[in-house]
Amino acid sequence: MIIKKISLIVVFAFFGCNGISQDKKETNKESKKEKFEVVKTDSEWRSELSDLEYYVLREAGTERSFTSDLLGNKEKGVYVCAGCGTELFRSRDKFISGTGWPSFDREIRGNVLYDVDYKIGYKRTEEHCATCGGHLGHVFDDGPQETTGKRHCINGAALKFVPSK
């Protein structure tokens, strides 16, 4: 009787420890691409983007901090996706976060998609261009409290700046 109970506990413990966070979800890049308005082959992206832009936008890489020319940009205008030109952030929403990446307290609504990322061992909210799916960066809840409280920490390589006329 006691052996049956112990066996039953072991079986429940074994299956109970297999949480959802451990499930490997297979991602089919081709089916993922189909949901975006701009869809290109890998070779097309490679021919159109610089090595750094490709690394950030298509491979979800991160540029080194304090290396983006856009970090100190104070001109009025709009920041667009370096892959497809979709407007993502307005200069009026940019702030100096001290993190080494261009930071914004809000996105242009509808032009940025969000996903969950566990790449460095904990949950982060990853941001993508809603038009081409390019990786932009991450959003955190440590932004300016007097506005949205959000810090969109964006790779400068994922952006191009279009000054106001």
Side-chain angles (χ1 to χ4, degrees), residues 77-81 85-93 104-114 127-131 136 152:
V78 66
Y79 293 84
V80 302
C81 176
T86 298
E87 294 185 351
L88 301 170
F89 302 96
R90 292 184 180 91
S91 61
R92 69 173 182 238
D93 301 320
F104 305 86
D105 67 356
R106 65 188 58 127
E107 79 286 6
I108 295 176
R109 198 170 301 270
N111 292 356
V112 175
L113 295 178
Y114 300 92
E127 296 182 273
H128 299 271
C129 172
T131 304
L136 304 172
H152 297 262

Side-chain angles (χ1 to χ4, degrees), residues 63-111:
E63 68 188 359
R64 286 188 17 233
S65 61
F66 299 100
T67 60
S68 173
D69 292 339
L70 297 176
L71 188 59
N73 183 27
K74 296 178 183 174
E75 290 183 63
K76 291 184 180 181
V78 66
Y79 293 84
V80 302
C81 176
C84 69
T86 298
E87 294 185 351
L88 301 170
F89 302 96
R90 292 184 180 91
S91 61
R92 69 173 182 238
D93 301 320
K94 187 175 184 228
F95 68 96
I96 298 170
S97 66
T99 61
W101 291 278
S103 297
F104 305 86
D105 67 356
R106 65 188 58 127
E107 79 286 6
I108 295 176
R109 198 170 301 270
N111 292 356

Side-chain angles (χ1 to χ4, degrees), residues 16-41:
C17 290
N18 186 13
I20 293 172
S21 66
Q22 295 172 354
D23 287 348
K24 286 189 177 182
K25 295 179 182 172
E26 291 186 32
T27 57
N28 180 346
K29 284 186 175 181
E30 293 306 312
S31 66
K32 206 172 185 184
K33 284 181 187 178
E34 291 174 13
K35 71 179 182 180
F36 298 109
E37 187 178 319
V38 173
V39 179
K40 298 179 183 184
T41 65

